Amino acid sequence: MTINTSEAVTPAGRPAGIPLDEGFLRPPSRLEKAVGPEWARLIKGIFTNPLSVLGLIIVTGFILVALFAPVLAPPPKPGANPYQIPRDGFLPEPKPPGTPWNKNAPYYVPRWYSLTGNEEWVHLLGTTGGQYDIWYALVWGTRTALLAGTAVVAVSAIVGILIGSVAGYFGGLVDEVLMRILEIFVVFPSLVAVLVLSSILVPIFGRSLWPAMIALIVFGWMGYARLLRGDILSNKERDYVMAARASGARDTHIILKHVLPNAIFPTLVFLSLDMGSIVLSFAALSFLGVGVEPGYADWGQIVSFARNYIVSLDTFWYVIVFPAIALLLYGLGWNLLGDALRDILDPKLRGKIG
Amino acid sequence: MTTILDVRNLVTRFYTEDGVVHAVNGISYTLDEGESMAIVGESGSGKSVGVMSIMGLIPSPPGKVEAGEVLYNGRDLLKLSPEELRQLRGSEIAMIFQDPMTSLNPVLTVGLQMTEALELHLNMSSAQAKERAVEMLQLVGIPNAADRLDDYPHQFSGGQRQRLMIAMALSCNPSILIADEPTTALDVTIQAQIIELVQKLQQELGMAIIWITHDLGVVAGMVQKLAVMYAGFIVEYGSVHDLYNLTSHPYTLGLLNSIPKVDARERTRLSSIEGLPPDLLMEPKRCPFAPRCTFAVERCWEENPPLISIAPAHSSACWQWEVVRSQSKVGVAA
């Protein structure tokens, strides 16, 4: 049974049977139909903003390098641990790019290699202190960076989101207690705290990715929790949350379905920025020697091998320039993405982009 | 008619940093099955807090329902556990809100928001819930209902969204519908449509309705009973006929006089009630309306008048009610 509301007045041209308050609205795009208006705007924004496209290209580039690492830098023997950077001898002094590769060269020459104009493996980017190949270390280090970065960010984000949403939604004493605990973690200068904790963890886990990752998570979740708590505090006062409560919805349902999906967007920005900065912290730890075992393909490690030659960069520029470019590009890519997300989600800029 | 809701001496206070806000100070009213009543008052008079207290929706802290009984079919809602009350909300007592633009979640489709209550309260499968949602959308007059379930709230106009809210609220067949100023955010033509719709649905589905409004003109024709609230008190309570014709509280009289009259013979100034509503932080020891009242006598400043029965099914909280009544429509005519 339909209530016909258009009986009273029928302006010319209005099809019969459409109520007077029927809006004439833009039909939704297919993307909007599929993922909803907010996500559609976000996705559209990312692909139309030049800066975020650049960020996207850089990040995709790193992901491709990580995926194709076995082709870009094959290990010295098939089946050898690829994360162990091959050493061409044990001489301390770095060798410049183009030096022929004598010992421990990759076991085969992939097809793309002819593009470099060489037939046999040379040290494409030179070797660093201790004859570790820089090209090999950067390629496999990309995997380490992405894996460690994603794992740390994912776990800190989950922990932070959990704590932030509970604190924000329930408020009162729960909020008070959780936020005071959070502050205990915040008061430590983060890099120092991470350094101390990971050196405590090294004897327990051995020299591996774990100590640094755990330490970065332990001191890395607070940003997410705080950010999300704030957004939830403002979101839970919205009318639709009251409406959901009035219709008898459960607390968990309200948090997961009504509050979180509306409050999560600023956290996404932070997540993207964090992807960049976590890898920098990770490299810093590795540089300071609390990271992985010596020779493990990791960007921080390569920089630390170069430590003795940083003072004579006029000769040994390549030991620092190439790893620095990798770190810079990686951080830049995620930051561009994060900044673009922030622009897209900033209500003051709405309508200008996307 | 059996009484479905019996609110007795309900007291709600907010404990804020500035002091105790006396939001609702012992209000009592009853609602029969299928009856409509209106609670009228200005912003901050406690009309919304009053019904939120009934539904257990007062944010606590700082709010607290301090005293009283809310008997719904004989069960005291204030004594129920939060879980029992949650099950009651939406299925037995439903609510529609003031602003339809913000009462729907912008990131969820309308279908999802409509079916969640059905699946929750009536244990429907998602297919059944969908069917019921389409039925409800048709009932409230949304064209192409089946196609529109996948749409998002921003794809509906304001009036349509209020229709959606009504469809959602009524989908579980509640016995009481609380309409918290459902038309204030809409323009006048749509207001009329929405009110007509709710009245029509009431006839079909037979639920009782509590209208909360600040507009005496809007509710006049559609309710049987009125409660006028001021500063957290019900100051006058009775049938629409009695309140309009035998007005016995100066505040009600003021409200009635401030309705613009289209048929006014000469150019007259629209009358208003002078002054501001009281600060609810003060404990009400005298008549809260006294500072703005033209009928006030010495007693009004010393003692807060209780709500007393002045005629069958008509009560007023005014020491001067007889004087006021003589000024009312019938009184003036006499």
Side-chain angles (χ1 to χ4, degrees), chain B residues 128-201:
Chain B
Q128 282 174 311
K130 231 176 184 166
E131 208 174 297
R132 171 87 174 141
V134 171
E135 207 178 288
M136 289 309 297
L137 287 186
Q138 283 167 346
L139 196 62
V140 297
I142 301 233
N144 304 329
D147 296 338
R148 304 223 60 182
L149 282 185
D150 293 331
D151 284 351
Y152 287 88
H154 74 277
Q155 293 166 277
F156 292 83
S157 66
Q160 282 183 325
R161 286 193 221 188
Q162 196 57 286
R163 287 165 192 268
L164 287 175
M165 293 303 296
I166 294 168
M168 257 181 234
L170 297 182
S171 59
C172 294
N173 267 330
S175 21
I176 301 177
L177 175 70
I178 297 171
D180 189 354
E181 305 197 36
T183 59
T184 14
L186 305 170
D187 51 70
V188 189
T189 45
I190 312 278
Q191 272 188 22
Q193 290 178 17
I194 294 291
I195 289 169
E196 216 171 289
L197 173 69
V198 174
Q199 284 184 297
K200 187 179 156 56
L201 291 174

Side-chain angles (χ1 to χ4, degrees), chain A residues 135-325:
Chain A
W135 166 254
Y136 189 97
L138 288 184
V139 168
W140 287 91
T142 307
R143 273 199 178 186
T144 311
L146 278 171
L147 283 177
T150 314
V152 169
V153 169
V155 178
S156 345
I158 290 170
V159 172
I161 286 171
L162 218 69
I163 291 178
S165 40
V166 168
Y169 184 74
F170 291 104
L173 193 65
V174 180
D175 182 31
E176 204 68 30
V177 169
L178 285 174
M179 285 303 114
R180 295 301 84 78
I181 294 174
L182 180 145
E183 272 156 19
I184 295 173
F185 285 89
V186 174
V187 288
F188 296 109
S190 80
L191 198 62
V192 178
V194 170
L195 188 64
V196 171
L197 181 61
S198 51
S199 31
I200 293 170
L201 290 173
V202 165
I204 303 168
F205 291 95
R207 296 198 60 137
S208 63
L209 293 172
W210 291 109
M213 275 170 56
I214 292 172
L216 282 170
I217 291 168
V218 169
F219 290 99
W221 57 273
M222 299 88 75
Y224 294 96
R226 269 196 170 161
L227 193 66
L228 194 66
R229 169 184 171 268
D231 284 310
I232 283 183
L233 280 182
S234 74
N235 264 288
K236 74 169 182 178
E237 299 301 325
R238 302 274 167 87
D239 289 348
Y240 52 79
V241 174
M242 181 53 96
R245 287 188 41 189
S247 74
R250 292 194 179 87
D251 281 340
T252 44
H253 178 90
I254 295 177
I255 295 186
L256 291 177
K257 281 265 165 104
H258 291 284
V259 180
L260 256 186
N262 279 292
I264 199 75
F265 293 101
T267 309
L268 289 182
V269 176
F270 189 69
L271 202 126
S272 175
L273 296 174
D274 208 27
M275 276 300 282
S277 67
I278 283 293
V279 166
L280 296 187
S281 310
F282 200 77
L285 287 177
S286 209
F287 178 76
L288 293 170
V290 283
V292 291
E293 67 262 35
Y296 192 92
D298 168 67
W299 293 345
Q301 178 105 246
I302 319 168
V303 182
S304 86
F305 288 145
R307 201 175 336 195
N308 292 337
Y309 303 94
I310 290 173
V311 282
S312 39
L313 278 183
D314 45 343
T315 341
F316 301 117
W317 57 274
Y318 46 89
V319 298
I320 202 73
V321 166
F322 295 123
I325 289 176

Side-chain angles (χ1 to χ4, degrees), chain B residues 21-133:
Chain B
V21 178
H22 302 263
V24 172
N25 302 308
I27 57 171
S28 308
Y29 55 86
T30 59
L31 183 69
D32 288 343
E33 240 169 61
E35 186 185 33
S36 351
M37 75 174 283
I39 301 179
V40 184
E42 60 198 34
S43 307
S45 60
K47 53 193 195 301
S48 289
V49 173
V51 291
M52 301 279 234
S53 308
I54 294 173
M55 295 188 77
L57 289 175
I58 293 294
S60 170
K64 205 173 163 222
V65 180
E66 301 245 289
E69 282 176 319
V70 178
L71 301 176
Y72 170 74
N73 281 335
R75 276 208 293 175
D76 189 354
L77 297 187
L78 300 181
K79 291 204 175 73
L80 293 185
S81 73
E83 178 60 23
E84 287 171 307
L85 201 56
R86 182 188 67 67
Q87 284 171 5
L88 215 78
R89 283 201 294 262
S91 61
E92 310 264 331
I93 306 178
M95 195 161 174
I96 50 181
F97 292 87
Q98 189 169 353
D99 191 351
M101 305 309 266
T102 58
S103 298
L104 288 161
N105 189 337
V107 305
L108 295 183
T109 62
V110 164
L112 239 144
Q113 298 186 57
M114 286 204 67
T115 50
E116 63 184 27
L118 292 166
E119 287 169 29
L120 188 73
H121 291 302
L122 304 182
N123 284 322
M124 285 188 174
S125 72
S126 67
Q128 282 174 311
K130 231 176 184 166
E131 208 174 297
R132 171 87 174 141

Side-chain angles (χ1 to χ4, degrees), chain B residues 6-27:
Chain B
D6 186 357
V7 178
R8 292 179 190 168
N9 197 29
L10 185 70
V11 179
T12 303
R13 292 186 180 137
F14 289 91
Y15 292 85
T16 67
E17 278 172 18
D18 298 330
V20 184
V21 178
H22 302 263
V24 172
N25 302 308
I27 57 171

